[in-house]
Amino acid sequence: MVDTATVLHVDLDAFFVAMELLRRPELRGRPVIVGYPGPRGVVSTASYEARRYGVRSAMPMARARELCPGAVVLPPDFSWYAPASRAFHAILRSYSPAVEPVSVDEAYLDVAGSERLFGTPIEIAAAIRERIRAEIGITASVGIAANRLVAKVASDAAKPDGLLRVPPGEEAAFLAPRPVRDLPGVGRRTAGVLAGLGIATIGDLAAVPESVLEAKFGRHGADLRRRALGIAPGGVAPAQPGRRSISREHTFERDEPSPERLRATLLRQAERVADDLARQQRAARTVVLKLRFPPFETITRSVTPGRQLLFADELYEAAAGLFEAAWEEHSRRPVRLIGLGAAGLIERARQLALGESPAPGALHDAVLALRERYGEAVIRRAAELPAPPADRP
């Protein structure tokens, strides 16, 4: 019988801290925090010893020092981490061409078709972990499942330095006892609403009728229930030959707290990325969101809806969902940089679905023609326009 649990999520354990311990072995076993120590500093990574005190990534450094006053605080050294990150991703690519990087220290890969060369998915995962240990000197945790969502939860459950496989058909049972916050896409605010409904575990969420969740969360409610059952569309989106992605980023002059301005910036980026895709006659499989919080804490999130993405509204809808969840998870802190990317680029060849109108495509082509002739500012959405002065009626 063919094993359909071929998706691996590989995550380096406390990556920045692990790299610092390579050159500071005397700190092993002590609580260590990597992050900027200033008044606006936040935790980038904490050792597992520090996490026992409640220290977490993205926590204000002042709060982390209160929780763990004996911790050793080290500033991040990205020049030291970058070669290890490149080596990590190179190891993954040696086992499968279907590798989807998520960040410097984690990635998905699909090893379907690699079994004849390297063995079963479990054997491949074990080999990857051993090579990371031998060639980089740090540890990694791996989750194996039939889709990305469950593989991600499995790798988190395996931490630190572990490997966990969820057999096909057992996704819902694996997820059921876990806290609802362990489900990717459930941030603090959503978890709070769910708690008000008496939902504490992923199994509780899966047991709620879809109609109840839709009444509370709209269309997102049905997706929440599917995810709680371990059902997630879209596979691993490997990089394509040639240009791998198209993206737009914006750095604010001052850290931006306004959700309206952040969403408007994201919409503007979706417009420009859609234009770039059209010029190149390309479509995207994956949308990537990038957020940077002060002083230099950068996160990325991605989603692969399972269809070609061509137009600004499609890109924005996917990116906005990622933004709302990620911003909520980081306590809606002011944002220094926001970016939207289109990845998994393929030839532009989408057919209309039954009942789908060609109007969006025609409208986009007309707008693009105007921008090509008169410049990008010739036509803009109302959401992109600056807000009027506060004293203006």
Side-chain angles (χ1 to χ4, degrees):
M1 188 175 184
V2 177
D3 187 357
T4 57
T6 60
V7 176
L8 278 60
H9 180 259
V10 188
D11 196 353
L12 301 178
D13 298 321
F15 176 48
F16 294 170
V17 168
M19 290 301 298
E20 293 295 344
L21 294 181
L22 287 179
R23 55 184 178 181
R24 295 176 172 86
E26 71 277 7
L27 296 180
R28 292 188 184 278
R30 296 181 59 184
V32 177
I33 300 172
V34 173
Y36 293 98
R40 300 178 66 191
V42 295
V43 176
S44 294
T45 309
S47 69
Y48 291 96
E49 292 81 4
R51 295 180 194 188
R52 295 191 189 106
Y53 291 84
V55 179
R56 295 290 183 268
S57 297
M59 175 181 287
M61 187 62 75
R63 176 58 178 159
R65 296 300 294 267
E66 289 176 1
L67 291 171
C68 189
V72 177
V73 178
L74 303 172
D77 182 354
F78 298 104
S79 64
W80 170 241
Y81 312 146
S85 176
R86 289 193 293 269
F88 162 62
H89 289 287
I91 289 172
L92 301 187
R93 290 193 298 271
S94 70
Y95 289 93
S96 172
V99 176
E100 180 183 345
V102 178
S103 65
V104 295
D105 60 350
E106 65 174 311
Y108 296 95
L109 69 158
D110 193 333
V111 297
S114 299
E115 293 95 329
R116 289 186 179 181
L117 289 174
F118 304 112
T120 66
I122 287 182
E123 291 170 335
I124 293 172
I128 287 172
R129 293 180 63 235
E130 180 56 36
R131 284 189 58 187
I132 290 171
R133 187 189 301 273
E135 298 175 25
I136 306 176
I138 59 179
T139 63
S141 296
V142 182
I144 308 172
N147 62 51
R148 297 162 77 254
L149 180 145
V150 180
K152 164 65 174 171
V153 179
S155 71
D156 287 344
K159 283 185 168 294
D161 193 18
L163 189 161
L164 178 60
R165 175 181 179 270
V166 180
E170 297 184 18
E171 292 86 359
F174 163 71
L175 294 172
R178 306 193 66 80
V180 74
R181 278 297 302 272
D182 285 2
L183 188 67
V186 174
R188 184 177 303 171
R189 176 171 294 181
T190 300
V193 175
L194 293 173
L197 298 174
I199 297 170
T201 67
I202 299 176
D204 294 340
L205 177 58
V208 177
E210 187 173 298
S211 58
V212 173
L213 293 173
E214 286 185 330
K216 198 71 176 178
F217 298 100
R219 288 187 303 169
H220 183 50
D223 180 61
L224 271 176
R225 186 170 186 274
R226 286 192 296 269
R227 294 165 71 85
L229 292 167
I231 301 169
V236 174
Q240 300 295 313
R243 188 172 184 183
R244 297 181 178 182
S245 63
I246 295 172
S247 63
R248 294 292 179 101
E249 297 180 357
H250 178 78
T251 301
F252 297 100
E253 292 184 6
R254 296 181 178 85
D255 301 335
E256 182 55 61
S258 166
E260 291 78 14
R261 189 176 180 198
L262 290 168
R263 294 187 191 105
T265 303
L266 202 60
L267 177 59
R268 182 166 60 250
Q269 292 169 343
E271 291 271 6
R272 306 312 182 252
V273 169
D275 288 350
D276 291 340
L277 287 171
R279 292 186 185 102
Q280 298 181 29
Q281 287 299 297
R282 307 283 274 174
R285 292 183 59 203
T286 299
V287 173
V288 181
L289 171 77
K290 180 177 180 181
L291 291 177
R292 178 170 297 154
F293 301 100
F296 200 79
E297 180 195 355
T298 304
I299 65 168
T300 59
R301 297 288 186 269
S302 66
V303 62
T304 304
R307 67 182 189 280
Q308 287 194 25
L309 302 173
L310 289 76
F311 307 124
D313 287 343
E314 298 172 326
L315 297 170
Y316 175 73
E317 180 181 7
L322 294 171
F323 166 72
E324 298 297 342
W327 200 36
E328 183 65 33
E329 288 175 10
H330 286 75
S331 305
R332 300 175 71 86
R333 293 160 49 205
V335 173
R336 174 162 295 183
L337 174 148
I338 190 169
L340 184 153
L345 303 187
I346 55 178
E347 293 299 320
R348 195 181 186 92
R350 190 173 83 178
Q351 293 183 338
L352 292 178
L354 184 64
E356 186 177 1
S357 169
L363 175 60
H364 179 262
D365 290 344
V367 171
L368 179 60
L370 287 170
R371 286 178 175 155
E372 292 280 11
R373 184 168 183 179
Y374 299 109
E376 286 195 353
V378 68
I379 184 168
R380 291 186 291 174
R381 297 190 186 224
E384 296 185 59
L385 299 176
D391 58 351
R392 183 175 171 178

